[in-house]
Amino acid sequence: MDDFSIELAVRDYECDLQGVVNHARYLHYLEHARHEYLLHCGLDFAKLTAEGVIVVVVRAEIDYRRSLRSGDRMRVSVRAVRRSRIRLDFLQTITRLQDDATVLEAMITTTAVNERGRPWFPQELSALLPSDSEASS
């Protein structure tokens, strides 16, 4: 699957007393983009969960580069990469649209757990990965 991105705007209530987006809010932007990416790939997060495919974040690595302020518009990009037999990384970037500045780079590592809480990689998640022809190009 190709890289995916969505555009969002910062809302006033997402900013702290210094007038910049609170650091924890960026996790919401990243998660929202991942859920939209799933939908784009034909997967519904709530439906997957109901079917016993429980996707969980096991690690979040975030490099903050610049701050966003109220009214700023951003692009949140997502690319999925299979890290191991049971782990899937989402490589994400937030870019401020006004000046194309990189605001944040993140690697969100996930796995799926079964009904016994054991990690596994369900076939459904393969829809998020590039095909062999895309991966070699």
Side-chain angles (χ1 to χ4, degrees):
M1 182 60 62
D2 293 333
D3 287 357
F4 172 82
S5 66
I6 62 171
E7 292 185 8
L8 301 170
V10 174
R11 296 162 289 209
D12 290 340
Y13 67 84
E14 296 171 326
C15 298
D16 60 21
L17 292 175
Q18 290 82 35
V20 298
V21 171
N22 178 280
H23 71 281
R25 292 290 182 171
Y26 292 98
L27 288 167
H28 294 264
Y29 302 149
L30 297 171
E31 184 169 19
H32 180 68
R34 289 193 307 277
H35 285 218
E36 291 295 319
Y37 177 61
L38 290 175
L39 287 171
H40 174 76
C41 295
L43 301 173
D44 181 282
F45 190 77
K47 186 176 176 189
L48 285 172
T49 301
E51 294 171 352
V53 178
I54 313 298
V55 180
V56 296
V57 171
V58 296
R59 182 177 180 85
E61 295 179 39
I62 300 174
D63 293 317
Y64 296 95
R65 306 285 186 214
R66 291 177 177 78
S67 296
L68 289 171
R69 296 182 172 277
S70 182
D72 282 349
R73 296 199 52 78
M74 72 191 95
R75 178 181 309 106
V76 185
S77 66
V78 181
R79 182 165 53 99
V81 177
R82 189 158 181 183
R83 171 184 272 219
S84 71
R85 189 176 61 79
I86 59 170
R87 297 224 171 158
L88 182 67
D89 284 343
F90 289 94
L91 307 179
Q92 296 188 254
T93 303
I94 296 178
T95 305
R96 188 171 48 220
L97 291 177
Q98 291 91 311
D99 57 4
D100 206 35
T102 299
V103 172
L104 173 151
E105 295 172 315
M107 182 170 66
I108 308 299
T109 302
T110 65
T111 193
V113 293
N114 62 21
E115 65 279 352
R116 295 184 325 265
R118 306 280 302 165
W120 67 306
F121 194 89
Q123 182 61 36
E124 292 88 341
L125 296 184
S126 295
L128 304 175
L129 301 171
S131 66
D132 290 336
S133 61
E134 289 176 14
S136 61
S137 59

